[in-house]
Amino acid sequence: MEYKISKEHTAVVVIDLQKGIVAMPTEPYPSKQVIENSVKIIEAARAKEMPVFLVHVTPSSDGKDALHPVVENTFHFGDRPSDWAEYIPELNIQPTDFLITKRQWGAFYGTELDLQLRRRGIDTIILCGIATNMGVESTARFAFEYGFNQIFAEDAMAARSEEMHSHPLKYTFPRMGLVMKTEDVLKKMGE
């Protein structure tokens, strides 16, 4: 399928590239590679004056808005260092970037992401980040239901295991958008 990325109607949405999450082991790509590929996409978007949304996750200071799973040990990080939720320095945050704080896996629920995308006439998002099967997939499902076109930068995301990464890329994401390698996303952004 031939597809051209419109710089006027496309934004990059980066999920959870924050100190505490990138420190965890990831597969099939190490977080270092996910960061490098995500930064390439971010820099290309900034060069074309496309909006960049940087999303991170953290509970509020009292922790009362954190999710409490009904099944024990399904999503527990234990005691977090004080910088756990800080964006990684490689993102080189710019004044034109939008910083979104979420309190759960997906970046839409309870945040201003949808509002800010729509106010800018965005109908397509390029998704990347960690983890493929959690933050990225949860965000993608909401985006699909909200009517956004989506491009998934497959090698600019990773998960805790190969299987957790590959399942949404094989079965879910192709039903919601286009799955591409970073190199192909960059080519389409340059056209």
Side-chain angles (χ1 to χ4, degrees), residues 67-103:
L67 292 176
H68 301 285
V70 294
V71 180
E72 286 189 45
N73 300 320
T74 58
F75 189 67
H76 178 69
F77 290 107
D79 293 330
R80 298 180 184 130
S82 60
D83 66 350
W84 187 88
E86 287 180 17
Y87 291 104
I88 57 171
E90 292 90 336
L91 296 175
N92 190 24
I93 296 172
Q94 298 298 304
T96 54
D97 295 340
F98 297 88
L99 305 180
I100 304 290
T101 299
K102 63 186 176 87
R103 309 294 186 188

Side-chain angles (χ1 to χ4, degrees), residues 1-128:
M1 173 180 170
E2 208 43 50
Y3 185 81
K4 183 174 166 74
I5 293 176
S6 163
K7 78 172 199 147
E8 293 82 17
H9 301 289
T10 305
V12 174
V13 178
V14 182
I15 303 296
D16 298 343
L17 292 187
Q18 61 192 68
K19 291 179 180 179
I21 291 181
V22 302
M24 295 183 224
T26 60
E27 293 183 22
Y29 308 106
S31 59
K32 181 178 188 237
Q33 183 176 347
V34 172
I35 293 165
E36 288 171 0
N37 286 337
S38 297
V39 167
K40 288 176 187 175
I41 293 169
I42 291 166
E43 289 175 351
R46 288 176 183 149
K48 294 202 167 283
E49 299 180 354
M50 296 165 58
V52 173
F53 289 81
L54 303 174
V55 180
H56 69 152
V57 63
T58 188
S60 61
S61 58
D62 67 4
K64 294 196 185 249
D65 56 5
L67 292 176
H68 301 285
V70 294
V71 180
E72 286 189 45
N73 300 320
T74 58
F75 189 67
H76 178 69
F77 290 107
D79 293 330
R80 298 180 184 130
S82 60
D83 66 350
W84 187 88
E86 287 180 17
Y87 291 104
I88 57 171
E90 292 90 336
L91 296 175
N92 190 24
I93 296 172
Q94 298 298 304
T96 54
D97 295 340
F98 297 88
L99 305 180
I100 304 290
T101 299
K102 63 186 176 87
R103 309 294 186 188
Q104 60 283 315
W105 292 355
F108 281 97
Y109 181 78
T111 75
E112 63 181 45
L113 180 59
D114 181 56
L115 173 70
Q116 297 304 338
L117 290 169
R118 292 186 192 282
R119 282 188 173 171
R120 284 152 186 82
I122 301 300
D123 63 18
T124 303
I125 60 173
I126 300 169
L127 271 172
C128 56

